[in-house]
Amino acid sequence: MLVAKNLYKSYKEVHALNNVSLSVQEGELYGLLGPNGAGKTTTINILTSLLKPNSGEILYHGKSLFENLNQCKKMIGVVPQEIALYEELSAIENLKFWGTLYGIKGKQLQQKTEELLSFLGLSDRKNHKIKTYSGGMKRRINITAALLHDPKIVFMDEPTVGIDPQSRNLIFEVIQELHSRGLTMIYTTHYMEEAERLCDRIGIIDEGKIVAEGSLENLKKASTIKEEIHVKFTNAPKEDLLNINNSFPNQVLVQENQLVLSTSQANTDLPKLIQLCTNANLPLEHLQVKNLSLESIFLELTGKSLRD
Amino acid sequence: MFTIALKGIRQYFKDRTAVLLSLLLPIVLITIFALMYGGIGKSEKSRPITLLFTDQDNTELSKEVYSTLNEQSGIQLLTTNYDEASKLIKKGKNSAVLVLYKGFQDSVEAGNKIPMELFYDEAKEIEMGLMQQALWSNLFGITMKKGMKGKVNSWIREKNPDLDTTELLDIQAKIDEQFSDFEQSEDSETLEENSNLPMTAIVSEEKNGNLGLIQAIAGVAIMMLLFSVAGSGASLLKEKEDGTFRRLLVAPISPSSILYGKMLSTLFMAILQLTVMFLYSWLVLGLDIFINLPALLLMILVTAIACSSFGIFMASICKSRKQVESLSTLVILVISALGGSMMPLIFMPAIMQKLAVISVNYWAIEGFFDIFWRQLPLSEIYPKLIVLLGIGILFTTISVVSFKRNLLKMV
């Protein structure tokens, strides 16, 4: 469906993308995961034709994006991070406007908007101005606007940013439903749990490079880490936690009053950790050994937390 | 492009408060400016200027001066003593007092320096300027004739000291006769009349409509239009800030059609605003808009093109909506002041009048003056139409280049 080869993009002396290659199969939900500034948005901007790479090639169904621009644009749907809608127009007016830009007209447009509004449970509010909608409803209309022209691939750029958990779950359900219908999607996020929950394959991007790619299972298999030890303290100074970090070869994620130790040998690392905590008079509140998560794989690969 | 233009027009009409303000505010301002420039109720006669009059001589001649000046339509005399007059001027109740000192008649008859003086409030110099012409031409008429007779008599006495009284009285009678003949002659005009330049208005309010009203409508309509189109141009940057611009760019349309669509909707709103202004001026203020309808329609169109392209130009060179708003306010105020929107150009210094040609307001105002005041045919108005169209093309070209350089890079 989509093949991007050796994408390179620089802004003066900053290398935003450095030889990025990825491919997305038909019907696949591909997650692009990375911290802020990693190159996610630049990648999406290039793949959606908003930016031209300095070098590299992008093919949609074998057709070069920049050589067949309008043809390829019709295959693409984009759900931007912002609510890219006209607040003073109603939902139906917004959808008809965006649909018309893709050449959909008359009855076909009417039918398509009604169908999508019904799918997202917004039919009864279709004539209301967008500015009267809740955040979650706006997000749903934002998604609908990208689906009107029946795109072959949809780019979703952090579509759950700034919404309440209930609306987030509703959007997850929409994405899963679209996925089950066979729609190809590229989903960017910096939330591990979203990528874990939704994506078939994940590409981890950092400093303009894809550092790992594959299904969650494959990423776990490839990792040297097998388990995570989660420790919560009632009260622990950060310096003490950082000292514990220095005692292990693997990365330790240090947060306020807690740490997560990624390990390939929990049976030896767990007693060592407890001993260190006792020596440092750190009062333990909770301790748990968990299966490996994407967060730990990311930490292992990049040396930083996704929320850094 | 048309889809984007239609969307812009729909957005405009959806915001009813903005529509009302964009149409109502210029209407209110036009009415106020028309009142200021005397464009409304112009048929009423102007109020005469009150001039205080202090007669310390109290002679036949000083009374003649009083009655002559009092007959002037633009001046109303009010007799009072100097102290009272001085107080009234200081309090701002009156502008000036004309004082005829003791010995006024004797000095005039002797041909000496005339003892009279005008005291005035410097803050009312414009009013004084208007009064001065009527005042001096009348005073000149009265005092000069008497003064000349006195001068001639004095000269004869000085040059002929040996003449006896009888001979002197005889000569004086002959001189009086000559002056009397001159004053009463049907063929000759008086000195006063001779001193006046005959003036006939080729373009006048009687024939060509209401000057103040035309200035108010043309000036205010253009200025308010510039503010409206700047707002419309700024909406291009709002699209960028809201993310809709990005969505437009990924749609299968060319980036230029986004700009042209925005221009088209701005042009429509500009034409609508100008049309409403002129309809209001016709229906409420009595401007004859049908005097040269084809020229008016063309002038509305090219003015709308020039102004809307200015709005898009401002948006294309700025990086944020705040920048557009503050920069365009500054530029509009400057070009409106320069171009004669705020004040008729005749009141401005020569250098400012020369600079006015750089302002879009100047060309539009001059164009509307050509139609309504000078009542020129279309063939005489076309240079202004071409200049306005040229301004539109220039701004559009720069906007297209800047749009590609600035806006597209900001995604």
Side-chain angles (χ1 to χ4, degrees), chain A residues 98-297:
Chain A
W98 294 112
T100 311
L101 287 184
Y102 285 85
I104 313 166
K105 287 172 189 166
K107 276 187 181 174
Q108 192 197 353
L109 181 60
Q110 184 72 28
Q111 201 181 330
K112 195 73 199 171
T113 48
E114 296 288 350
E115 180 193 315
L116 284 168
L117 284 167
S118 167
F119 169 60
L120 288 162
L122 292 165
S123 292
D124 54 333
R125 294 286 307 269
K126 65 180 180 185
N127 291 316
H128 291 218
K129 287 183 181 177
I130 294 292
K131 63 181 172 192
T132 65
Y133 280 31
S134 68
M137 286 162 80
K138 285 180 185 175
R139 286 268 168 211
R140 278 183 276 163
I141 295 288
N142 207 29
I143 294 173
T144 315
L147 304 173
L148 283 159
H149 59 289
D150 285 326
K152 300 279 181 279
I153 182 166
V154 172
F155 289 85
M156 296 202 174
D157 192 5
E158 309 204 26
T160 56
V161 167
I163 57 170
D164 57 274
Q166 198 187 347
S167 299
R168 180 178 292 195
N169 284 334
L170 206 65
I171 285 170
F172 287 162
E173 283 170 24
V174 169
I175 291 166
Q176 281 165 332
E177 174 61 27
L178 291 170
H179 185 35
S180 71
R181 290 183 184 190
L183 183 66
T184 312
M185 284 181 274
I186 293 189
Y187 189 97
T188 72
T189 184
H190 61 264
Y191 294 117
M192 299 286 178
E193 52 281 21
E194 286 187 9
E196 282 180 348
R197 178 175 170 176
L198 298 170
C199 301
D200 299 321
R201 272 196 316 135
I202 296 160
I204 295 176
I205 187 165
D206 187 45
E207 293 178 356
K209 287 179 188 168
I210 301 271
V211 290
E213 192 184 42
S215 66
L216 185 58
E217 286 310 308
N218 285 343
L219 288 172
K220 281 180 180 175
K221 277 180 199 164
S223 173
T224 56
I225 305 161
K226 302 298 169 199
E227 286 160 320
E228 294 168 1
I229 303 169
H230 292 246
V231 190
K232 198 172 180 187
F233 304 92
T234 46
N235 186 20
K238 199 164 184 181
E239 305 87 66
D240 292 343
L241 297 182
L242 290 171
N243 285 338
I244 292 174
N245 175 24
N246 296 334
S247 309
F248 292 94
N250 289 333
Q251 288 286 339
V252 177
L253 183 63
V254 176
Q255 289 164 350
E256 195 183 349
N257 285 332
Q258 57 184 325
L259 58 81
V260 179
L261 172 65
S262 305
T263 174
S264 54
Q265 40 189 2
N267 53 342
T268 53
D269 281 346
L270 182 60
K272 185 181 171 186
L273 178 65
I274 293 169
Q275 187 61 53
L276 283 167
C277 292
T278 311
N279 293 347
N281 288 325
L282 293 173
L284 286 175
E285 186 184 306
H286 183 81
L287 194 146
Q288 190 180 11
V289 180
K290 287 183 180 178
N291 285 331
L292 179 62
S293 73
L294 201 51
E295 182 90 39
S296 295
I297 296 171

Side-chain angles (χ1 to χ4, degrees), chain B residues 226 229-234 236-237 259 262-263 266 305-320 323-324 327-328 331-332 335 358 360 391-404 406-407:
Chain B
L226 286 170
V229 296
S232 181
L236 196 61
L237 286 153
L259 187 71
K262 183 61 76 179
M263 278 179 178
T266 309
I305 290 172
C307 291
S308 53
S309 64
F310 164 82
I312 300 293
F313 164 75
M314 292 306 293
S316 70
I317 59 165
C318 292
K319 288 193 171 144
S320 70
Q323 255 186 34
V324 179
L327 185 65
S328 56
V331 173
I332 292 168
I335 62 171
I358 63 164
V360 64
I391 291 171
I393 292 169
L394 180 71
F395 277 142
T396 304
T397 311
I398 300 170
S399 302
V400 172
V401 175
S402 305
F403 176 76
K404 284 179 180 166
N406 297 337
L407 279 171

Side-chain angles (χ1 to χ4, degrees), chain B residues 56-93:
Chain B
Q56 292 176 354
D57 195 40
N58 209 17
T59 56
E60 201 180 310
L61 187 62
S62 67
K63 283 172 186 163
E64 190 188 334
V65 168
Y66 175 83
S67 58
T68 308
L69 290 178
N70 212 22
E71 279 166 16
Q72 300 302 308
S73 57
I75 301 173
Q76 186 185 32
L77 287 187
L78 196 69
T79 310
T80 183
N81 62 51
Y82 174 75
D83 290 340
E84 185 60 25
S86 180
K87 275 183 199 166
L88 288 169
I89 293 167
K90 279 179 185 167
K91 282 180 183 174
K93 305 264 184 198

Side-chain angles (χ1 to χ4, degrees), chain A residues 60-130:
Chain A
Y60 283 96
H61 276 302
K63 286 180 180 165
S64 167
L65 171 65
F66 292 102
E67 284 169 20
N68 305 274
L69 196 58
N70 277 357
Q71 212 179 339
C72 288
K73 275 181 167 183
K74 284 183 180 175
M75 295 184 207
I76 301 170
V78 178
V79 180
Q81 201 179 110
E82 311 90 353
I83 306 293
L85 299 167
Y86 299 103
E87 294 258 310
E88 57 277 28
L89 299 183
S90 68
I92 196 97
E93 284 169 334
N94 264 286
L95 296 180
K96 282 186 175 174
F97 168 69
W98 294 112
T100 311
L101 287 184
Y102 285 85
I104 313 166
K105 287 172 189 166
K107 276 187 181 174
Q108 192 197 353
L109 181 60
Q110 184 72 28
Q111 201 181 330
K112 195 73 199 171
T113 48
E114 296 288 350
E115 180 193 315
L116 284 168
L117 284 167
S118 167
F119 169 60
L120 288 162
L122 292 165
S123 292
D124 54 333
R125 294 286 307 269
K126 65 180 180 185
N127 291 316
H128 291 218
K129 287 183 181 177
I130 294 292

Side-chain angles (χ1 to χ4, degrees), chain A residues 39-58:
Chain A
K40 293 193 301 287
T41 304
T42 305
T43 307
I44 296 295
N45 282 347
I46 288 173
L47 295 178
T48 56
S49 81
L50 284 171
L51 277 178
K52 271 196 172 181
N54 298 110
S55 62
E57 192 180 21
I58 301 155

Side-chain angles (χ1 to χ4, degrees), chain B residues 75-142:
Chain B
I75 301 173
Q76 186 185 32
L77 287 187
L78 196 69
T79 310
T80 183
N81 62 51
Y82 174 75
D83 290 340
E84 185 60 25
S86 180
K87 275 183 199 166
L88 288 169
I89 293 167
K90 279 179 185 167
K91 282 180 183 174
K93 305 264 184 198
N94 292 89
S95 310
V97 56
L98 178 65
V99 181
L100 304 186
Y101 293 115
K102 188 94 186 143
F104 172 74
Q105 184 171 325
D106 293 344
S107 300
V108 169
E109 285 175 355
N112 295 332
K113 191 183 171 194
I114 303 167
M116 65 176 176
E117 200 167 354
L118 185 76
F119 297 90
Y120 70 100
D121 178 356
E122 210 170 42
K124 296 185 178 173
E125 246 174 330
I126 295 170
E127 197 177 328
M128 291 308 302
L130 294 170
M131 190 170 61
Q132 226 172 8
Q133 191 189 0
L135 196 62
W136 292 135
S137 63
N138 283 292
L139 284 170
F140 178 78
I142 299 161

